[in-house]
Amino acid sequence: MRRVTRKWVDGVAARGPVAWVAAVALVLEALGVLFLNWVLSIVVDKQQMSMAGVDPGAMSTGAWVLGAVFALYLVCCAVLLARTGLRDRPPGTFGRIALVTCAVVHAVLGAFAVGLVGWAAFAMLMAVLALLVLTLTAYGSTYGADGTRPGSGTPATAPARPTN
């Protein structure tokens, strides 16, 4: 088995462990979402709840399926993070897009959680958001000593000021 040695890249040495912690946090969150939607489906089924005449069985199944789909999304993002932490290389374009959407979902859920659930849920969602953002920025693109992006050959410059 090949031993992976961690290198200091632009002063960041803890990016692999942060990716792993974020992956574990997303798996635990996925299990929590699955459990919560399972309980919700049982409550809807036992109470025979209905909205606008929809069958309670359909609502119970819908809650369970939607929770399973969201949990699967979180697990897929956790796999991307674990792979990133294991290889110690940034995720590809698809992985980066998936992790950014996961971060946005956590930001929106955190905003709703303050009013609906409380500050503890908000703090947990913001902690996961911070881990996601830290992983994305730690594995961000770096610039060489001459100001060029790797593989591009053109210097990285700030955008020009718009003219009227």
Side-chain angles (χ1 to χ4, degrees), residues 39-68:
V39 169
L40 182 63
S41 71
I42 289 174
V43 169
V44 167
D45 198 36
K46 296 280 186 197
Q47 295 293 321
Q48 295 295 311
M49 294 179 182
S50 176
M51 283 177 52
V54 176
D55 181 41
M59 289 188 60
S60 174
T61 304
W64 176 244
V65 169
L66 192 61

Side-chain angles (χ1 to χ4, degrees), residues 4-21 84-89 134-135 137-140 142:
V4 176
T5 58
R6 303 263 183 225
K7 298 179 206 166
W8 284 79
V9 178
D10 293 335
V12 179
R15 60 188 191 174
V18 169
W20 279 102
V21 170
T84 299
L86 181 67
R87 294 173 57 210
D88 202 26
R89 282 196 269 158
L134 182 59
T135 301
T137 56
Y139 283 103
T142 57

Side-chain angles (χ1 to χ4, degrees), residues 73 76-77 80 92-104 132 136:
Y73 168 69
C76 288
C77 289
L80 285 170
T93 303
F94 173 76
R96 202 172 275 281
I97 290 170
L99 293 177
V100 167
T101 60
C102 190
V104 169
L132 287 167
L136 284 168

Side-chain angles (χ1 to χ4, degrees), residues 119-133:
W119 288 102
F122 173 77
M124 295 300 291
L125 286 166
M126 291 302 108
V128 176
L129 173 66
L131 288 170
L132 287 167
V133 170

